Amino acid sequence: MILELDCGNSFIKWRVIFAADASIVGGGIVDSDQALLEAVRNLAAPRLSGCRIVSVRSEEETASLCAQLERAFSITPLFAQPAQEMAGVRNGYDDYQRLGMDRWLAALGGYHLAGGACLVIDFGTAAKADFVAADGQHLGGYICPGMPLMRTQLRTHTRRIRYDDASAERALASLEPGRSTVEAVERGCVMMLQGFARSQIDQAKALWGEEFTLFLTGGDAPLVKDAAPQGRIVPDLVFVGLAMACPLN
């Protein structure tokens, strides 16, 4: 079995798959290295044959996690690396090494699944959009704060905005004008994400008309589904690209 890791700025997304057919054994999202080790140990530790990782964390943080995985499971992780071209997709950044690996892998995965032009919008800590043309040329993209960043900034810099996560979840039962601060903040942030999605779709239509596939990924993708009903939600899109970048037998 293969352990796959997507190490983001706030959380680690992980899953274990069978090597033969890529069927999923289990997985989840954790907020620390120790929580990851415990979760994997409880699921599949004795049967792991390999590991592949994409990380946007610092080199020191990533190296520390790698060392812990080697000690715990006797596996040497394989890391996704920047590339000018891979799997038919050409990196569109002026300096290809500066394109975030999570965005690059999501673009690879989207193009592979679409078999043509695609727009990938990832709603995580940051909201990110990337455009890949039908010929595989990555055209670049956009980045703006996602729900976690918007929420944190408002809580941090506005003294009277204070509420807990349970209140935030309840506030998203609808998008009607908020009648409390938590409702106003949470619903306002969702509407900003939806506006971001709509603007990216408009850009894609200007480029390709209706001849493109829209992928929505990241933890907050369901929040924008109503604004992008044509979108295909693929929670594990980065892992699709990771398998292409780091093949393991």
Side-chain angles (χ1 to χ4, degrees):
M1 291 188 289
I2 296 172
L3 173 63
E4 298 182 318
L5 301 177
D6 176 6
C7 302
N9 292 299
S10 303
F11 299 99
I12 301 173
K13 186 174 184 179
W14 67 277
R15 71 178 190 180
V16 173
I17 63 172
F18 284 114
D21 60 3
S23 59
I24 299 172
V25 179
I29 298 175
V30 294
D31 59 3
S32 70
D33 293 359
Q34 288 306 310
L36 171 69
L37 295 175
E38 181 178 352
V40 175
R41 188 178 289 112
N42 290 337
L43 179 69
R47 295 170 287 172
L48 288 178
S49 60
C51 174
R52 48 190 170 221
I53 298 177
V54 54
S55 176
V56 297
R57 297 183 169 191
S58 70
E59 292 185 6
E60 293 77 11
E61 290 175 310
T62 304
S64 173
L65 175 58
C66 180
Q68 293 178 73
L69 291 169
E70 290 179 343
R71 288 195 299 270
F73 307 120
S74 299
I75 52 176
T76 300
L78 186 61
F79 288 88
Q81 300 294 335
Q84 288 182 306
E85 183 172 352
M86 180 176 290
V89 180
R90 298 183 298 282
N91 194 311
Y93 259 31
D94 294 333
D95 180 355
Y96 74 93
Q97 297 186 76
R98 300 293 293 176
L99 176 62
M101 285 304 303
D102 54 339
R103 290 174 60 197
W104 174 237
L105 295 182
L108 292 180
Y111 186 72
H112 171 73
L113 294 179
C118 64
L119 166 60
V120 176
I121 313 180
D122 184 346
F123 296 96
T125 302
K128 297 157 285 189
D130 282 282
F131 298 75
V132 183
D135 65 356
Q137 180 61 53
H138 172 242
L139 304 179
Y142 299 90
I143 304 173
C144 75
M147 274 297 277
L149 285 177
M150 288 191 284
R151 182 186 292 125
T152 298
Q153 287 300 304
L154 284 167
R155 285 178 172 178
T156 301
H157 296 290
T158 307
R159 291 182 180 179
R160 292 184 180 274
I161 295 180
R162 295 290 185 271
Y163 55 84
D164 57 29
D165 292 340
S167 298
E169 185 175 350
R170 289 194 298 270
L172 294 177
S174 82
L175 290 182
E176 295 179 357
R179 301 186 65 176
S180 67
T181 298
V182 61
E183 290 179 352
V185 169
E186 291 295 311
R187 295 173 189 180
C189 289
V190 169
M191 293 182 78
M192 289 190 72
L193 285 188
Q194 291 184 344
F196 178 75
R198 290 189 183 100
S199 69
Q200 305 313 304
I201 294 168
D202 288 344
Q203 290 264 27
K205 288 181 176 179
L207 287 167
W208 306 310
E210 299 294 334
E211 299 300 317
F212 70 95
T213 303
L214 171 63
F215 293 102
L216 306 176
T217 190
D220 288 323
L223 296 177
V224 301
K225 180 61 176 174
D226 289 345
Q230 72 273 50
R232 178 179 169 186
I233 295 181
V234 184
D236 294 333
L237 189 57
V238 167
F239 286 142
V240 175
L242 180 61
M244 299 163 68
C246 301
L248 288 169
N249 296 327

